[in-house]
Amino acid sequence: MGKRRLPPLRSKKNSQQKRRMPPLYTAAARPPQEGWSIRERVNFRIAIGRFGQDWPRVAQFISTKSTGQICVYAEEYFLKRHTHSPVKNKRILIISSGC
């Protein structure tokens, strides 16, 4: 019988390009997450009680979120919390607080 033929060899360059995987994020290099965990929400309430509306200190207390993320969450938190309040201008207090 005849010899069995092997498929032609690919060059190394083509085989490496097909095997390239997207970069994996390690725990240290991971970007801040958008969603808020239960622990982060509880820590937010604790930080509000301790530091008030000092957003950089609140962000330092919740080390997984940036100051901008804290400001956005705080605005949503206060709007949801005070929607049934008789005072209509609660949003002005948050915007004027330096956020």
Side-chain angles (χ1 to χ4, degrees), residues 52-67:
Q53 293 183 357
D54 186 7
W55 304 127
R57 290 188 73 188
V58 173
Q60 188 177 11
F61 186 79
I62 305 171
S63 60
T64 57
K65 300 293 181 190
S66 67
T67 305

Side-chain angles (χ1 to χ4, degrees), residues 15 21 25 30 32 46 57-58 62 76-78 90:
S15 64
M21 299 292 286
Y25 291 111
R30 187 176 211 166
I46 293 169
R57 290 188 73 188
V58 173
I62 305 171
E76 293 172 3
Y77 172 78
F78 286 119
K90 289 288 183 178

Side-chain angles (χ1 to χ4, degrees), residues 4-23:
R4 189 172 166 187
R5 288 191 140 189
L6 296 175
L9 294 175
R10 296 182 190 170
S11 68
K12 288 183 179 180
K13 186 176 184 180
N14 289 339
S15 64
Q16 286 176 353
Q17 286 178 350
K18 290 185 179 183
R19 292 182 187 169
R20 185 175 293 170
M21 299 292 286

Side-chain angles (χ1 to χ4, degrees), residues 28-55:
R30 187 176 211 166
Q33 296 178 351
E34 292 298 322
W36 283 67
S37 68
I38 294 171
R39 178 176 285 164
E40 289 170 335
R41 291 181 207 154
V42 170
N43 284 342
F44 174 79
R45 291 185 189 129
I46 293 169
I48 289 294
R50 288 185 186 176
F51 308 121
Q53 293 183 357
D54 186 7
W55 304 127

Side-chain angles (χ1 to χ4, degrees), residues 59-90:
Q60 188 177 11
F61 186 79
I62 305 171
S63 60
T64 57
K65 300 293 181 190
S66 67
T67 305
Q69 289 172 321
I70 298 287
C71 290
V72 169
Y73 182 79
E75 186 171 0
E76 293 172 3
Y77 172 78
F78 286 119
L79 284 176
K80 286 179 185 177
R81 187 173 169 208
H82 297 293
T83 51
H84 302 293
S85 175
V87 178
K88 300 282 184 180
N89 295 328
K90 289 288 183 178

